[in-house]
Amino acid sequence: MTALDLSSPVAVVGTGTMGQGIAQVALVAGHPVRLYDTVPGRARAAADAIGARLDRLVEKERLTGPERDAARARLLPAGTLAELADCALVIEAVLERLDVKQELFGELEGIVSDDCLLATNTSSLSVTAIGGALRVPGRFVGLHFFNPAPLLPLVEVVSGFATDVTHATRAYETARAWGKTPVACADTPGFIVNRIARPFYAEAFAVYESQGADPATIDAVLRESGGFRMGAFELTDLIGQDVNESVTRSVWESFFQDVRFTPSLAQRRLVESGRLGRKTGHGWYDHGDGAERPEPDTAEKRQPPAYVVAEGDLGPAAELLALIREAGIPVRDEDEDSGSRLVLPSGGQLALADGQTSVEFRDVVYFDLALDYRAATRVALSASQDTSPQTLSEAIGLFQALGKQVSVIGDVPGMIVARTVARIIDLAHDAVAKGVATEEDIDTAMRLGVNYPLGPFEWSRRLGRSWAYALLDDLHLRDPSGRYAPSLALYRHAHASDKREGTAP
């Protein structure tokens, strides 16, 4: 099944920001486009707005004048749904209410031909439920564009329970012909991105709620150590706390209140107070005129240790050994079977976050995961009230000698980046095992949809087969609510390399 022919008219119902963006994408690709909105005059206003954006594309030399003029000639506002009768594809971008969408498509089915592809841009509702009452549900798909649609490349092509593979393939190929990067997924709560991204927000909020660190520090660690473009607090202020919390709540409820997707009480209080982020002037941060952005907690200058003793290779943090030597700090190597860690002159130990707490051990400081320890500009350390001040001081001084700013957070198992990445990896493996999408499509979706520095499976390969499972298993022992219980899919992945020949016991 190939993409729609460029001569085929495409209709967009709903002319808000998303509807206009989708219409612009189809228009620039070369289709005749019809715009419809239930509010009189809104379709005409949307056409004018799209025309103005085409003018700006000409100014930026992304379109020629003749291409703009031809596109404008192909763009027609529609006064009634009946004017969409000859369209080959109708995409809705209306209110996120199931009854509204079902009523719309019920009307459309009586107008368009049986081979017209019907698509919803929903981000949170069930594609199966929206199309469930249709006479021909096989031609109904989800085409989830990301905002702003003309700029962001990702499109999730969602197959409902009744969607025919031929129609899903046509939708996929059409999105690709429009210059987008489509990924195929089954109709599951949150699809790919909004399902697998939940821990990015949830774990940051959980660290804050446990008084492990303040929002500015958590955001700085996610950016400067984890390599994420924005931290969870600043990103949700940009998205809107009400919007982000609504998606989280929708996924949680759709999964029958699965504890892995539990919404944040602190975020709920923000929404209740009307502090929705940038659009209201205040969210986690104050966005009012003249407001100063709070600085992350950063440790004062300390002396580096005279030497360190390396026991093991530090696993995913092995690059630190080269950095320490380059900084002129002697590294004494000792072969030990007891784990991967650094021993400081004080006798205290420095270990990569593993899901355990510092208070469990005599004198241990944990350090957080980094996307790239050489490029990272900040590293988080975690210590308990029982940690020796000298050990903590040496740990701070060591990372400062490597050119890193250091944030000391509370005794948080799994810290910030490590627990976030581990949970993202777990949800990704679980999604593949349940037929939601392929590994490749999940990695593509998370890189392009939310700008992650690596896809979950890229992280998993880099960190090692058993890393995420081991960290979550330790976290689950310390928080047996089920939130951190590794999925069966992750368990199988972690133990696959340990298979032994023989029969089951």
Side-chain angles (χ1 to χ4, degrees):
M1 181 67 71
T2 58
L4 292 176
D5 188 272
L6 289 181
S7 64
S8 303
V10 172
V12 178
V13 178
T15 58
T17 301
M18 182 58 77
Q20 291 182 32
I22 296 171
Q24 180 180 328
V25 170
L27 189 65
V28 171
H31 289 272
V33 174
R34 314 276 172 77
L35 289 172
Y36 175 78
D37 200 291
T38 56
V39 178
R42 188 169 287 178
R44 168 54 64 187
D48 292 341
I50 293 171
R53 284 199 288 274
L54 295 178
D55 289 339
R56 289 195 289 274
L57 290 178
V58 172
E59 293 171 3
K60 295 177 181 178
E61 299 184 347
R62 296 177 184 173
L63 277 182
T64 65
E67 287 172 336
R68 173 199 58 198
D69 296 341
R72 278 180 165 171
R74 295 193 303 270
L75 181 60
L76 297 174
T80 66
L81 281 178
E83 295 175 48
L84 312 184
D86 64 338
C87 288
L89 167 62
V90 180
I91 306 173
E92 69 80 14
V94 301
L95 190 65
E96 280 287 272
R97 277 180 43 186
L98 180 61
D99 58 337
V100 172
K101 294 179 187 291
Q102 287 176 326
E103 182 179 355
L104 169 64
F105 283 110
E107 290 184 51
L108 282 169
E109 197 170 39
I111 295 170
V112 300
S113 64
D114 284 356
D115 60 356
C116 174
L117 191 62
L118 299 178
T120 173
N121 183 58
T122 185
S123 62
S124 60
L125 299 176
S126 164
V127 171
T128 301
I130 297 171
L134 293 178
R135 178 173 49 82
V136 188
R139 45 90 169 264
F140 189 76
V141 300
L143 278 176
H144 181 215
F145 290 77
F146 287 72
N147 194 28
L151 298 180
L152 294 187
L154 185 69
V155 177
E156 292 178 319
V157 182
V158 186
S159 293
F161 187 78
T163 303
D164 290 338
V165 65
T166 53
H167 293 292
T169 302
R170 170 156 283 181
Y172 183 98
E173 293 300 333
T174 297
R176 183 155 62 180
W178 291 357
K180 295 302 180 182
T181 302
V183 292
C185 65
D187 184 21
T188 184
F191 309 142
I192 297 175
V193 172
N194 280 330
R195 172 178 178 153
I196 295 173
R198 292 351 291 164
F200 179 75
Y201 312 107
E203 293 312 307
F205 299 161
V207 172
Y208 167 73
E209 288 175 330
S210 68
Q211 300 187 60
D214 61 273
T217 300
I218 296 169
D219 277 353
V221 171
L222 286 168
R223 288 193 314 269
E224 300 172 39
S225 183
F228 294 96
R229 185 166 297 184
M230 298 180 74
F233 297 90
E234 58 189 342
L235 180 55
T236 52
D237 265 3
L238 176 63
I239 294 169
Q241 299 302 330
D242 53 338
V243 174
N244 181 260
E245 201 243 8
S246 176
V247 173
T248 298
R249 187 167 296 276
S250 174
V251 172
W252 174 62
E253 291 174 349
S254 297
F255 275 115
F256 309 105
Q257 300 186 355
D258 186 330
V259 69
R260 294 177 301 166
F261 301 101
T262 301
S264 161
L265 180 59
Q267 188 180 38
R268 174 96 292 258
R269 292 293 179 258
L270 270 187
V271 174
E272 289 173 340
S273 68
R275 293 188 169 190
L276 307 182
R278 292 189 183 183
K279 61 187 177 183
T280 61
H282 208 304
W284 296 109
Y285 299 110
D286 184 352
H287 299 280
D289 293 339
E292 293 186 6
R293 180 71 173 268
E295 294 293 325
D297 182 69
T298 302
E300 295 181 358
K301 186 68 177 176
R302 307 290 177 86
Q303 288 297 314
Y307 65 89
V308 297
V309 178
E311 297 183 350
D313 63 3
L314 298 187
E319 187 179 22
L320 282 175
L321 296 177
L323 297 180
I324 293 170
R325 291 187 176 98
E326 290 169 17
I329 299 173
V331 177
R332 303 175 185 174
D333 295 317
E334 290 189 8
D335 293 327
E336 292 284 341
D337 295 329
S338 57
S340 298
R341 61 195 177 191
L342 295 174
V343 180
L344 300 166
S346 64
Q349 299 173 17
L350 188 59
L352 176 62
D354 59 5
Q356 301 183 87
T357 58
S358 181
V359 75
E360 299 171 52
F361 304 97
R362 184 182 64 83
D363 199 8
V364 169
V365 173
Y366 280 107
F367 63 92
D368 207 351
L369 180 69
L371 172 68
D372 180 342
Y373 283 100
R374 184 173 294 276
T377 58
R378 182 177 300 271
V379 172
L381 302 181
S382 174
S384 76
Q385 66 272 20
D386 295 331
T387 302
S388 159
Q390 181 62 24
T391 295
L392 180 57
S393 179
E394 288 176 348
I396 293 170
L398 174 64
F399 281 101
Q400 289 174 337
L402 306 186
K404 318 299 181 188
Q405 292 185 302
V406 176
S407 292
V408 180
I409 69 171
D411 191 11
V412 177
M415 302 192 67
I416 298 170
V417 179
R419 70 197 285 177
T420 298
V421 170
R423 287 208 58 216
I424 289 171
I425 289 172
D426 183 46
L427 289 187
H429 277 279
D430 184 54
V432 169
K434 292 176 178 173
V436 174
T438 65
E439 291 186 9
E440 181 181 4
D441 276 356
I442 288 175
D443 275 354
T444 297
M446 301 313 290
R447 286 196 314 269
L448 299 183
V450 278
N451 290 310
Y452 283 4
L454 295 175
F457 294 97
E458 292 173 317
W459 270 112
S460 186
R461 288 188 289 272
R462 175 181 288 202
L463 296 170
R465 179 176 289 275
S466 62
W467 178 85
Y469 175 82
L471 187 144
L472 291 176
D473 194 41
D474 276 334
L475 266 171
H476 178 55
L477 288 174
R478 288 150 185 81
D479 178 0
S481 65
R483 179 188 182 101
Y484 301 103
S487 66
L488 179 58
L490 189 64
Y491 176 86
R492 286 172 171 155
H493 175 75
H495 291 82
S497 62
D498 296 328
K499 290 185 294 186
R500 301 287 185 267
E501 294 183 0
T503 58

